[in-house]
Amino acid sequence: MELMQHARAQGYAVSASQLERWRRRGLLPQPTRVYRGRHGTASAYPDGTSDLVCALARHSTPGRKSDDLALLAFFEGADVPETALKIAIARAYFKGRLRNEKVVARAAARVPEGWESVLGQEYEAAEAEARTELAKGGRLVRQMRSNLRRLPDLAGASQREVDERLIGVLVGLNMFRLPEDDHEFMADLSAVLAFDCTPYDGDVLAVWEYAAISHSSQMGRYEETSPEKRFELLLGTSQEELRDLRIEVRTAVDQMWHRATGGLESEADLSRPWMARHAAAMLMEWMSARQVQPGKVSLADRYFLSLGLLQLRCLAAERSAGDAWQYPVGEGRAGFIARTTRSQHTS
């Protein structure tokens, strides 16, 4: 009764039958019976249950799945029961990961038999990831192509030629370690990253974030893992740790959203199920990745450190390459437009 009254006071009409449905689905904690002397017994809920009920009511729509409700309430700040929350996180993460692994496996299966002995299994796995990313297309790939075309030898090249160079960059970002000694790769990587552009130049932010996330894994200590190990890690994570991880993920997502909107919005809208699932997958990845990352840093700090180191490594590679470096790298969008426009008028 108290839960319904509290929800009603917040503007949510919650019925007793709805509360019971949420309890059966594991979205509400089981009450304990409290003896009240002559007044008999009453149901007592853990602290925070009233806020949880309001969060569930806010996101409850006909046909909405329990997993989505759990994640939406959790990333809003509510204390979702541990079992329901961990099941929702696991399903959001492993379903998406399994789909991606199947796509990558199909790409890897196209490699002619025997080629792995030439380039190595690590390279072939990285190329499968790269070709999968390229096939997705979207604003990330379009911006990478645009950035690569600033190189003189690619300004008028076909998309196929540009994509072959782009595959090389994506392969390097998916290797266990960044191939810094490969000057041709580093020159193309520098062109793709376009650090001389501003955050308002097209979708360059999407490129920076992809590169930062990829390089972040290269900075860590490599360890073999498995779905079983990741699931065991999730099961052993306490409620308090999950709340701490939620703060890290929310901070990182909000910062990404702030940059993506050009500073217009400071917080990401996690009230949509697909965004909550994406945040749950990030939480799961970071839960595992932070164990092999050097030092104790947050997910958001890791992003900035990774991107900064990428820029420094591109500069170091340029200096060590000397005359072998492909010029002009990082000429800027205005210079690229002026050069290509001038060549068109004079041809």
Side-chain angles (χ1 to χ4, degrees):
M1 190 67 176
E2 290 180 3
L3 292 178
M4 289 189 292
Q5 290 174 346
H6 177 81
R8 193 174 296 113
Q10 301 300 315
Y12 304 105
V14 177
S15 65
S17 60
Q18 193 170 27
L19 291 176
E20 183 57 32
R21 283 196 301 273
W22 288 339
R23 269 195 296 268
R24 287 199 304 267
R25 293 159 68 180
L27 296 171
L28 286 179
Q30 291 296 328
T32 57
R33 303 302 295 178
V34 178
Y35 179 65
R36 291 188 173 180
R38 291 181 303 171
H39 300 288
T41 61
S43 297
Y45 289 89
D47 292 340
T49 304
S50 296
D51 293 334
L52 172 59
V53 167
C54 290
L56 292 173
R58 223 174 347 263
H59 298 291
S60 183
T61 58
R64 177 152 287 172
K65 297 179 180 179
S66 298
D67 289 347
D68 286 339
L69 262 181
L71 295 177
L72 289 165
F74 173 68
F75 283 109
E76 188 176 296
D79 289 330
V80 179
E82 183 174 343
T83 300
L85 175 60
K86 288 182 175 179
I87 288 174
I89 291 173
R91 283 176 176 158
Y93 175 72
F94 287 111
K95 282 184 178 179
R97 185 176 181 86
L98 184 60
R99 284 195 298 269
N100 183 68
E101 286 178 351
K102 286 181 178 178
V103 173
V104 172
R106 287 197 293 270
R110 299 190 190 102
V111 177
E113 189 175 351
W115 277 30
E116 287 186 359
S117 61
V118 178
L119 295 173
Q121 189 172 0
E122 180 194 346
Y123 179 90
E124 299 300 347
E127 183 173 336
E129 290 276 6
R131 293 195 179 278
T132 300
E133 193 65 50
L134 185 69
K136 290 179 185 177
R139 63 194 186 100
L140 170 69
V141 170
R142 287 195 299 270
Q143 187 65 51
M144 285 182 164
R145 287 185 184 125
S146 175
N147 292 347
L148 265 180
R149 285 188 181 279
R150 299 191 309 158
L151 293 173
D153 60 326
L154 290 179
S158 66
Q159 182 172 309
R160 182 177 179 179
E161 291 177 277
V162 175
D163 282 353
E164 284 305 306
R165 295 275 282 275
L166 180 52
I167 283 288
V169 174
L170 292 172
V171 167
L173 288 172
N174 279 282
M175 298 284 280
F176 293 149
R177 292 289 178 265
L178 195 71
E180 298 176 54
D181 294 334
D182 184 341
H183 289 148
E184 290 185 3
F185 162 77
M186 292 301 291
D188 281 354
L189 174 64
S190 181
V192 163
L193 294 178
F195 281 119
D196 60 303
C197 291
T198 71
Y200 307 104
D201 283 332
D203 288 315
V204 72
L205 278 170
V207 176
W208 292 349
E209 292 189 359
Y210 175 84
I213 291 169
S214 299
H215 187 50
S216 179
S217 65
Q218 295 173 326
M219 292 162 58
R221 184 178 69 254
Y222 178 73
E223 287 185 7
E224 289 285 349
T225 187
S226 66
E228 292 77 16
K229 287 181 180 179
R230 289 177 183 266
F231 188 64
E232 289 174 5
L233 180 62
L234 174 62
L235 290 180
T237 302
S238 68
Q239 284 278 69
E240 184 178 357
E241 288 177 303
L242 287 173
R243 286 192 288 268
D244 290 342
L245 285 164
R246 174 176 61 193
I247 293 172
E248 289 200 41
V249 170
R250 278 240 48 148
T251 301
V253 170
D254 286 343
Q255 288 186 2
M256 291 179 188
W257 191 262
H258 183 71
R259 291 190 299 273
T261 59
L264 296 177
E265 298 178 21
S266 59
E267 293 184 359
D269 181 10
L270 295 186
S271 65
R272 289 168 289 181
W274 72 269
M275 282 286 286
R277 290 186 217 117
H278 177 69
M282 286 182 65
L283 184 148
M284 191 75 179
E285 283 284 2
W286 183 239
M287 184 191 303
S288 177
R290 64 179 182 165
Q291 297 186 84
V292 295
Q293 295 287 350
K296 294 183 179 181
V297 296
S298 69
L299 178 57
D301 289 342
R302 197 68 193 164
Y303 168 86
F304 286 110
L305 178 61
S306 173
L307 195 60
L309 286 176
L310 265 180
Q311 187 169 13
L312 287 174
R313 282 168 179 161
C314 285
L315 290 172
E318 179 179 355
R319 289 178 181 175
S320 65
D323 294 337
W325 192 258
Q326 296 179 26
Y327 290 99
V329 172
E331 64 178 326
R333 191 166 299 274
F336 167 71
I337 292 173
R339 175 168 55 81
T340 54
T341 302
R342 184 170 58 251
S343 63
Q344 289 173 1
H345 287 317
T346 56
S347 59

